[in-house]
Amino acid sequence: MSGYKVYGDIVSGNCLKVKWTLEALQLDFEWIETDILKGQTRTADFLAINPAGQVPLLLTPKGRPLAQSNAILLYLAEKHGGGLLPEKAFERAKVYEWLFWEQYSHEPYIAVRRFLKTYLGKPEADLDPKLLERGLAALTRMERQLGDAEWIAASEFSLADIALVAYTRAAHEGGFDLHAFPAVKRWIARVEKRLEIGAL
Amino acid sequence: MSGYKVYGDIVSGNCLKVKWTLEALQLDFEWIETDILKGQTRTADFLAINPAGQVPLLLTPKGRPLAQSNAILLYLAEKHGGGLLPEKAFERAKVYEWLFWEQYSHEPYIAVRRFLKTYLGKPEADLDPKLLERGLAALTRMERQLGDAEWIAASEFSLADIALVAYTRAAHEGGFDLHAFPAVKRWIARVEKRLEIGAL
């Protein structure tokens, strides 16, 4: 056993990123299912280990808590190798760029629309139109990037592919039609194959 | 000359982070003022180097573009040392955690309210109440963290302090009263002194 524990909600892309990275690194871990909709990230016990009240949360073998999905990915990749981060400084920095872009310009639209529609059952008319507009802008940017690149950030598969595929492959659940993004669809299939996960 | 060029808007906290990090590392650079409100991040020339249409943008001495403020900070700190990133893996990961938290749970409320109020001149009544509520939640979390810590993420001053101070010190311009956050105010003064920048 590697000794890692993950508090995560299995339907959350941010949590799945951590699961897939641990699996890609062939590390055993204990998964502690934590249901966001049931308020399990807001209990006193959970807030004591993550004051931000968010999953995923990684507990290291020494019991130290680490939050923020993409920070956990970087920690695991640095600590355990596995080739998920390029060795050259600038190429690695491009992975960082896409990880921050994912959290700022992709997840708040693509993941949030999915959460509101699929998990909270909100009708389309109640959704802020910006969510659709900016989500489409994010997919359009990815389509251009993947038009002549196999992987999103680097010449090899990297953490950026894991981070971005999590919500992109579920974008249809947020009302985004991926048929308009053929290069993105082909890339999703490549990443799913690489991670050995089935198609959604 | 280090050969770095920065496209940045001098009133943007995200751009100032990059300026301060280059200065902390004692690196010369050329600053290319790029006014967001005048649409200078949306010109064809700019979009050719940053398809995301955002500043800051770093051009390396080889002319390679790197976007996303916190990715640029990580790149510079890795490349040039300077002690802005802890050497121990877990402590460094806590810096990553705060950098991602800043972009996801702080900037979208504290920086966005400032932009809407101070730069776009929007009246309070037109602002989404969530911006105030979530901005206060971010400041409350920082206040707790800084109650018994000198620096935000690590035992030493780090990139996380640079990233978080940028918009926190300007929070009053977004209508946040920092008098309710005395530990945050003391930390701002410490970081400003360390960066050798005057108080706002």
Side-chain angles (χ1 to χ4, degrees), chain A residues 71-89:
Chain A
I72 297 171
L73 266 53
L74 286 172
Y75 173 71
L76 292 170
E78 286 186 4
K79 186 105 183 158
H80 298 285
L84 298 175
L85 271 177
E87 285 185 18
K88 289 187 182 171

Side-chain angles (χ1 to χ4, degrees), chain A residues 22 49 116 121 163 165 180:
Chain A
L22 283 159
I49 49 172
L116 295 173
V165 89

Side-chain angles (χ1 to χ4, degrees), chain B residues 91-111:
Chain B
E91 285 186 30
R92 198 165 58 244
K94 292 305 276 188
V95 173
Y96 302 157
E97 179 187 312
W98 283 98
L99 292 180
F100 283 105
W101 182 82
E102 188 263 334
Q103 286 288 289
Y104 196 83
S105 298
H106 182 286
E107 202 263 19
Y109 311 113
I110 293 181

